[in-house]
Amino acid sequence: MKLTGNLLLGANEVPASAGTMKALNPATHQLIEPDFAFGGAVEVDRAAQLADAAFDHYSHTSLAERAALLERIADNLDVVAQPLAARAALETGLLEAQLLGEAAKAATQFRQFAEVVRRGRFLQVAIDPAQPERQPRPRMDHRLQSIALGPVAVFGASNFPISYSVAGGDTAAALAAGATVIVKAHNAHPGASEIQARAIRQAVQDSGLPEGVFSMVRGAGNAIGEALVDHPLIKAVTFTGSEQGGMALYRRAQQRPEPIPVFTEMASVNPTFILPQALAERGAQIGDGFVERMLVNVGQACLKPAILIAIAGPGFDPLRAAMINRVGMAPARPMLTPGIHGSYLNGLDKLKGAGATPVAEGSPATAALDGQATLLEVDGQRFLSETALAQEVFGPAALLVKVEDEAQMLAVARALRGQLSAAMHLEEEDLGLARRLLPILERRTGRIVVNAFAHPQEVSFASVHGGPFPASSDSRFTSVGMTSIERFLRPVCYQGFPDALLPEALRDSNPLGVPRSVEGR
């Protein structure tokens, strides 16, 4: 597939106005053709104007039309899956087979959201019919449904170049809600981003929809992202990345004349707690599995299990030995970008400076951006006294925390900040401790896993990928799963309307056949 490197603003191919870049192959440290265009505030304004002009039409398309768009996007992603995975592998150093799985997951998400749209439950229709005879005051007819917020800016993630990027879940959920979308492509994988953007744009064109339903911009530094967040026509923002980057966008959005929601997915160490009986019976198995999951994506996964907490006692030594063995066998593999690689090395230094002791290392790095797997260890008292030990280190590192007893395990849990997920490994004899640990974890995470690890995660109606700060900026919402559509919706009440003027979902005949609450039933 030929790449032009242009910005894609609706149906328009727009060349560079603010310089160009080439993609970097992190495995070879070589630049890859072609040049990719950078834009700025002018291109953001052009995309936002197109998105706003398209919004009223697109947000009022029928559920069938919107679902058909999502399915066309999925079909187009299937067609380009092979070249997309190949290009993404060049730009990220990740395995092509893994990226083919990502491409399939992205297409699946669009099809899942098409089904969500067809069912119509996301509209959250509620009807309270008129009561003209009610005393002492008659009640007018009230009908409620959810509508899209407006044009949405989606910031592509670096670590999953397909399923959390241009054609990721944020784009799928926003389009499903009826929002128009402008994606800021991540500069770590510009070619993969262009392939995905063209697949989406072609689906928009084939559906006969306004061109402003979808655009993709790209820029150097922070300026283009700031222009997106500042633009008065943008009504919501999604971001996946570092706490520093996410909070900078969040604060900026709150300082606008019209503040808007910024839905961020940021830092998480996804703690794993091994309860005593499970440790005694399965310590080595759990330790090996923990490290295997930690090393996925060279440790560059938001759901990477990064901290394991276990009580000194039966099973601890086999657990530790299995972790050391698995880390020692891990090959050094290229990390996504020079910046991520540098931050990883800096994070390791901070853990060591806070008192964590390295106990195992994988194969040494042989290339400039290789990440060497590392296992560090610390006791519970030191962990409780050094807040730096609980910070995320994005890369192939894990921290084993050896606590003295159940009380110290609970204290460690209370010391943690908000998390995307937490896991408990337990047996029946551990249920008493698990019941004490559970409410602590409920207050600190959006997903609790028993006898498995945080990664991978299903994309389903019950999925939650979010949690208290700093895991996300709003713990009421998820960025993965079918209910992630709720981020892009707001309720509108229609009072006293004639039936012919009501949106279809609210009419007496319910022509769409959507689920509705009538008088609370």
Side-chain angles (χ1 to χ4, degrees):
M1 175 176 290
K2 183 178 179 180
L3 300 172
T4 68
N6 289 328
L7 307 178
L8 304 180
L9 308 185
N12 305 289
E13 301 265 344
V14 179
S17 67
T20 63
M21 65 163 288
K22 283 184 170 68
L24 176 71
N25 184 328
T28 65
H29 216 251
Q30 299 297 309
L31 296 176
I32 317 167
E33 296 291 340
D35 288 328
F36 289 91
F38 282 151
V42 170
E43 287 72 27
V44 165
D45 180 65
R46 189 172 173 186
Q49 295 289 347
L50 286 170
D52 186 66
F55 177 77
D56 284 344
H57 176 92
Y58 179 63
S59 64
H60 284 79
T61 53
S62 70
L63 299 185
E65 287 177 287
R66 206 180 305 168
L69 168 67
L70 298 171
E71 289 172 340
R72 283 191 178 100
I73 294 172
D75 292 343
N76 289 352
L77 290 172
D78 286 341
V79 170
V80 300
Q82 190 64 58
L84 173 57
R87 179 72 193 198
L90 281 178
E91 295 179 335
T92 64
L94 300 174
L95 300 176
E96 187 172 332
Q98 172 186 333
L99 292 164
L100 278 170
E102 259 200 67
K105 179 180 178 181
T108 296
Q109 287 184 115
F110 278 92
R111 292 191 175 99
Q112 288 174 309
F113 276 110
E115 184 59 27
V116 168
V117 170
R118 282 200 174 92
R119 292 180 184 181
R121 189 177 298 277
F122 75 99
L123 295 171
Q124 299 175 337
V125 174
I127 298 175
D128 293 321
Q131 294 180 355
E133 307 302 323
R134 192 184 69 173
Q135 295 297 326
R137 179 169 57 87
R139 183 177 79 181
M140 294 183 70
D141 184 89
H142 290 65
R143 304 190 180 216
L144 176 147
Q145 73 167 2
S146 293
I147 69 166
L149 291 174
V152 171
V154 171
F155 284 67
S158 64
N159 56 335
F160 289 92
I162 305 173
S163 59
Y164 286 92
S165 186
V166 175
D170 287 348
T171 300
L175 289 173
T180 52
V181 173
I182 303 171
V183 172
K184 179 195 170 293
H186 200 287
N187 292 343
H189 44 263
S193 295
E194 182 179 329
I195 294 171
Q196 296 169 71
R198 291 188 179 280
I200 297 172
R201 188 175 73 164
Q202 188 61 53
V204 172
Q205 292 173 348
D206 292 345
S207 300
L209 293 167
E211 60 175 315
V213 168
F214 175 81
S215 292
M216 183 190 74
V217 298
R218 185 188 304 106
N222 298 326
I224 196 162
E226 292 170 352
L228 265 173
V229 173
D230 290 346
H231 201 286
L233 295 177
I234 297 298
K235 301 304 179 185
V237 174
T238 73
F239 171 86
T240 299
S242 69
E243 180 181 345
Q244 179 181 0
M247 290 311 299
L249 295 180
Y250 178 84
R251 295 186 184 101
R252 194 173 188 95
Q254 305 320 304
Q255 292 168 359
R256 289 175 26 146
E258 177 198 352
I260 58 172
V262 177
F263 302 105
T264 65
E265 186 255 279
M266 300 180 292
S268 184
V269 296
N270 308 298
T272 298
F273 294 84
I274 315 300
L275 278 56
Q277 191 61 37
L279 180 65
E281 294 186 15
R282 304 184 273 118
Q285 176 189 345
I286 296 170
D288 183 76
F290 176 93
V291 174
E292 187 269 330
R293 290 286 90 197
M294 181 272 285
L295 293 172
V296 170
N297 263 38
V298 201
Q300 300 162 118
C302 45
L303 288 174
K304 178 193 84 171
I307 296 181
L308 189 148
I309 303 100
I311 299 171
F316 186 87
D317 288 341
L319 168 82
R320 183 176 184 273
M323 295 177 73
I324 290 172
N325 181 63
R326 172 68 85 146
V327 168
M329 295 189 301
R333 290 178 53 199
M335 300 188 73
L336 292 164
T337 69
I340 289 174
H341 181 259
S343 294
Y344 172 61
L345 298 180
N346 185 52
L348 284 178
D349 287 342
K350 288 182 178 179
L351 289 180
K352 295 171 187 175
T357 302
V359 293
E361 291 181 329
S363 301
T366 59
L369 298 186
D370 278 356
Q372 183 182 27
T374 305
L375 176 65
L376 303 101
E377 185 177 36
V378 72
D379 63 64
Q381 190 57 46
R382 185 73 176 186
F383 185 88
L384 291 169
S385 66
E386 293 284 351
T387 57
L389 293 169
Q391 303 304 307
E392 180 184 39
V393 176
F394 198 64
L399 180 65
L400 174 61
V401 182
K402 183 179 182 179
V403 296
E404 297 174 355
D405 51 28
E406 293 183 3
Q408 194 171 73
M409 175 176 277
L410 296 175
V412 165
R414 292 189 187 95
L416 293 169
R417 300 199 299 168
Q419 305 293 328
L420 292 171
S421 68
M424 295 188 291
H425 288 260
L426 55 88
E427 298 293 332
E428 187 173 354
E429 296 87 341
D430 295 314
L431 289 177
L433 176 57
R435 290 190 182 98
R436 295 162 62 198
L437 181 59
L438 182 58
I440 300 172
L441 298 183
E442 286 174 336
R443 294 177 61 179
R444 287 162 178 80
T445 186
R447 183 168 65 104
I448 305 169
V449 181
V450 170
N451 290 338
F453 298 100
H455 187 270
Q457 180 181 27
E458 290 291 329
V459 179
S460 69
F461 283 93
S463 299
V464 173
H465 191 70
F469 181 84
S472 67
S473 55
D474 194 329
S475 62
R476 295 172 298 173
F477 298 96
T478 175
S479 61
V480 172
M482 304 303 97
T483 56
S484 67
I485 193 174
E486 294 172 3
R487 294 172 294 170
F488 309 114
L489 298 167
R490 65 177 180 85
V492 173
C493 176
Y494 303 80
Q495 182 176 335
F497 271 53
D499 194 70
L501 186 59
L502 284 166
E504 282 190 295
L506 300 181
R507 293 176 187 171
D508 287 338
S509 62
N510 191 10
L512 301 181
V514 299
R516 311 198 301 187
S517 168
V518 180
E519 294 275 26
R521 294 187 294 275

